Amino acid sequence: MAQLVEQTICEFLEQRVAQVPDNEALVYEDLNLRMTYTQFNNHVNDVAKALMAVGLEKGDHFSVWTTNVAQWPGLQFGSGKMGAPLVTINTNYRANELKYILKQSDSKMLVLIDQYRDHSFIETLYEICPELRDSSPGSLESAALPLLKTVVVISDQDYPGTYSWHDFIKLGEDVPDKALAQRKASLTAHDVINLQYTSGTTGFPKGVMLSHYNLINNALNIAECMKLTSDDRLCIPVPFFHCFGCVIGTLTIVSAGGTMVPVREFEPSIVLKTVEQERCTALHGVPTMFISELNLPNVTDFDLSSLRTGVMAGSTCPIEVMKGVMDTLGMKDITICYGQTESSPVLTQTRTDDAIDLKVETVGRALPNTEVRIVYPGTMDEVPSGVQGEICARGYCVMKGYYNNPEATREAVDADNWLHTGDLGTMDEAGYVRVTGRLKDMVIRGGENIYPREVEEFLYQHPAVLDVQVVGVPDAKYGEELAAWIIPKDNQAVAEEEIRAFCDGQISHHKIPRYIFFMAEYPMTASGKVQKFKLRELFEIRRGEE
């Protein structure tokens, strides 16, 4: 069992440098960028000094609004060396959401890219901070965001009021090594070093405060479950702004002294090309990513023989997809993770040698040093084995709280430090957990409680169903009815009547969806979670058009 360690991210990285100085730490295959652990550590020191040069003190917050650019790992580990917590911003956000995060987090600096797909990030920033155009770099005076002073743009182009990345790093040259050493010495393992904002599938995002201790120990335990070593090379196509990217991804592979191989933006053929070129032994993704990779017409043309393990998380994996990942992609030792941002993020994980049914039907068992309990909702009374209840957890991984939101913190973490996840699940005699739904997703139809997950699992068995999401929608007679949104396999033609006939006699009548819709893709968060509330909104739009 991995022992809990009292380390800062600075000490954590420098320990790896001492152990494997010449191992490749960071590789961007498409940029031909390669850094050994020694070189990466030197780069991180430069970034840490630059963060200090713009006036960030220990405990100050700065935000990063980018894709998986090559500057991100330096910012993540640089933050860990000089003590200013990094705030993550979802790349799907627009003006109002950006303003909300920057203000709620009290960010003093923002690092961003100028453009992502068809969205101009810099123009969005100018929209909420018009004063920036006429400011000197580092001297912003914004009416809307009074604490925000410094903006750094990662771009080949210069923008008014901002530092370029080159100029930002150059500022750090005036910070002496002694000053950085003093800052590092002032940090403790239990300091907050990361604000991860919740995905926002419901309500306003909340800033989850995570410490060095939370993050490092979660990474070490995940790595142990994956049996990672310094010989492993991890392809990371999941976004860094999410815990999947910057904990299960970067920190986990660094905990083993292996190599980070990020992909800047997810594109299935680029991911598999990267795995092939860099001989990656591990690959991360949500099920929709793996489905996209498996559905490439030339998937078997890639040499993926180096692949061994990885993590799939975010939602349930249909068994056919899991078989494809293990057989076609060669990831025999793939693991399934479950958790949430508030738990740093992983609570349970399958092990590399678990049977395929455990990797499909469960989310594994508790990580070392973590307590997981299934309780009757609203209590801390444990349910019997196999009985559904709320998943609760306690241990090193539980967040320090929501930033500037003590009321929400008290709702999520009780006086005995149990995190109430809001997820429903069961646990078997061996400790394996099955996630059965969300407390808030439960549908009450005419007094009958229905858990959408149960209906989804049944509909997955239909040969024409690639993916399915079931939600509750308003109904005048029963209060709520079920609506199923189905993505057919290979664009197969399938009718509503066929789906209902498949259900008839197999599941209770009240569990058969009244509404059945077909679509090509789901509304998703950038981290790969289906936004069920948007499906409900889409239902209302369709009903209004009838």
Side-chain angles (χ1 to χ4, degrees):
M1 177 185 294
Q3 297 300 307
L4 294 177
V5 299
E6 295 263 352
Q7 281 186 329
T8 63
I9 285 174
C10 168
E11 294 164 333
F12 172 76
L13 174 60
E14 290 177 359
Q15 185 180 68
R16 302 301 168 273
V17 176
Q19 291 167 342
V20 287
D22 299 323
N23 239 30
E24 284 189 325
L26 180 65
V27 171
Y28 276 82
E29 191 271 336
D30 61 329
L31 299 175
N32 197 26
L33 184 157
R34 297 177 183 279
M35 292 185 191
T36 65
Y37 268 88
T38 298
Q39 293 166 333
F40 180 62
N41 188 54
N42 291 337
H43 167 66
V44 169
N45 287 337
D46 292 342
V47 175
K49 288 182 183 179
L51 292 168
M52 293 173 65
V54 298
L56 291 177
E57 300 291 341
K58 174 184 173 180
D60 286 343
H61 298 163
F62 75 98
S63 289
V64 179
W65 193 29
T66 75
T67 54
N68 289 8
V69 292
Q71 290 81 359
W72 181 290
L75 286 164
Q76 181 184 4
F77 285 89
S79 159
K81 286 214 180 199
M82 53 71 65
L86 185 157
V87 179
T88 62
I89 301 184
N90 190 319
T91 51
N92 283 342
Y93 281 178
R94 293 300 194 263
N96 193 55
E97 296 156 316
L98 174 66
K99 181 179 175 181
Y100 172 83
I101 298 293
L102 291 173
K103 188 173 182 63
Q104 206 280 333
S105 68
D106 293 328
S107 286
K108 294 188 174 181
M109 178 176 115
L110 172 64
V111 180
L112 73 160
I113 51 177
D114 54 356
Q115 183 88 16
Y116 175 51
R117 296 177 181 165
D118 62 349
H119 181 197
S120 173
F121 281 17
I122 189 67
E123 288 301 325
T124 296
L125 182 60
Y126 284 137
E127 179 184 334
I128 63 174
C129 288
E131 305 94 337
L132 183 63
R133 290 186 187 276
D134 300 315
S135 299
S136 299
S139 303
L140 174 63
E141 295 289 339
S142 167
L145 300 165
L147 292 181
L148 185 65
K149 299 299 176 186
T150 304
V151 176
V152 178
V153 184
I154 297 171
S155 172
D156 294 331
Q157 188 175 337
D158 292 329
Y159 291 95
T162 74
Y163 288 114
S164 68
W165 179 260
H166 174 268
D167 290 343
F168 167 67
I169 293 296
K170 196 166 179 58
L171 292 173
E173 294 175 3
D174 295 331
V175 176
D177 291 343
K178 184 178 179 181
L180 177 58
Q182 289 172 338
R183 180 69 67 86
K184 291 193 301 187
S186 74
L187 308 182
T188 75
H190 295 278
D191 293 337
V192 172
I193 199 59
N194 193 219
L195 258 73
Q196 288 274 329
Y197 274 77
T198 54
S199 297
T201 53
T202 58
F204 285 105
K206 296 184 285 289
V208 177
M209 297 186 291
L210 300 173
S211 67
H212 301 262
Y213 184 75
N214 291 144
L215 299 169
I216 288 171
N217 284 296
N218 206 236
L220 286 165
N221 281 292
I222 296 164
E224 181 179 83
C225 289
M226 296 173 67
K227 298 181 180 175
L228 293 178
T229 73
S230 58
D231 292 328
D232 280 301
R233 300 169 69 82
L234 172 62
C235 181
I236 313 172
V238 289
F240 284 155
F241 70 76
H242 188 271
C243 274
F244 200 166
C246 70
V247 183
I248 306 175
T250 55
L251 285 179
T252 293
I253 190 64
V254 168
S255 77
T259 307
M260 299 175 275
V261 187
V263 174
R264 287 184 288 168
E265 293 178 32
F266 177 75
E267 202 287 312
S269 61
I270 291 175
V271 171
L272 297 190
K273 177 177 178 285
T274 301
V275 169
E276 178 181 62
Q277 297 281 68
E278 292 301 321
R279 307 305 295 153
C280 292
T281 60
L283 171 63
H284 285 354
V286 296
T288 53
M289 289 180 169
F290 286 110
I291 288 169
S292 297
E293 291 153 10
L294 289 167
N295 283 347
L296 286 172
N298 63 334
V299 61
T300 56
D301 292 344
F302 293 95
D303 179 1
L304 308 176
S305 57
S306 59
L307 276 179
R308 173 183 66 82
T309 188
V311 166
M312 190 187 301
S315 61
T316 313
C317 178
I319 190 163
E320 292 305 317
V321 176
M322 181 59 73
K323 286 178 179 176
V325 169
M326 297 177 75
D327 298 337
T328 306
L329 302 186
M331 298 171 66
K332 303 292 186 189
D333 293 345
I334 189 169
T335 65
I336 302 297
C337 286
Y338 160 76
Q340 52 188 205
T341 310
E342 291 86 343
S343 60
S344 305
V346 177
L347 291 171
T348 68
Q349 188 171 1
T350 59
R351 287 8 181 212
T352 56
D353 55 357
D354 278 338
I356 187 171
D357 61 320
L358 290 173
K359 296 182 180 184
V360 171
E361 297 172 9
T362 83
V363 290
R365 49 195 167 91
L367 285 186
N369 309 298
T370 303
E371 295 178 80
V372 175
R373 181 183 289 182
I374 313 293
V375 303
Y376 291 104
T379 77
M380 277 309 296
D381 298 329
E382 282 192 78
V383 301
S385 176
V387 173
Q388 179 175 262
E390 184 184 11
I391 302 172
C392 293
R394 183 167 66 178
Y396 72 87
C397 60
V398 174
M399 66 173 178
K400 300 202 73 160
Y402 295 118
Y403 183 66
N404 277 350
N405 199 338
E407 183 179 342
T409 301
R410 286 191 295 270
E411 289 176 7
V413 183
D414 67 24
D416 293 320
N417 209 39
W418 282 98
L419 172 66
H420 294 252
T421 68
D423 288 328
L424 294 166
T426 64
M427 184 187 294
D428 66 18
E429 299 285 355
Y432 283 84
V433 173
R434 288 166 170 79
V435 179
T436 54
R438 288 283 296 170
L439 270 173
K440 293 178 182 177
D441 281 344
M442 186 179 74
V443 177
I444 304 176
R445 180 191 182 276
E448 295 275 6
N449 291 353
I450 305 172
Y451 296 96
R453 181 67 171 273
E454 178 189 355
V455 182
E456 289 166 356
E457 288 292 339
F458 173 74
L459 291 176
Y460 270 131
Q461 299 173 40
H462 190 286
V465 171
L466 177 65
D467 206 349
V468 57
Q469 298 292 326
V470 173
V471 300
V473 295
D475 183 75
K477 182 177 181 181
Y478 293 105
E480 286 186 288
E481 277 282 12
L482 294 185
W485 300 80
I486 293 171
I487 298 178
K489 284 183 183 174
D490 304 320
N491 298 314
Q492 289 183 39
V494 58
E496 293 178 41
E497 294 74 19
E498 184 182 338
I499 298 296
R500 290 197 180 89
F502 182 73
C503 297
D504 193 33
Q506 300 298 314
I507 58 175
S508 301
H509 177 74
H510 68 276
K511 295 179 184 177
I512 299 176
R514 177 176 175 184
Y515 304 99
I516 297 171
F517 304 105
F518 300 96
M519 61 197 314
E521 59 183 7
Y522 296 125
M524 310 279 277
T525 67
S527 57
K529 293 181 180 178
V530 177
Q531 294 173 304
K532 286 194 169 185
F533 74 94
K534 288 194 174 180
L535 294 178
R536 295 185 189 97
E537 291 172 359
L538 189 55
F539 172 81
E540 293 294 338
I541 292 169
R542 290 199 176 194
R543 187 162 68 169
E545 292 172 348
E546 291 176 355

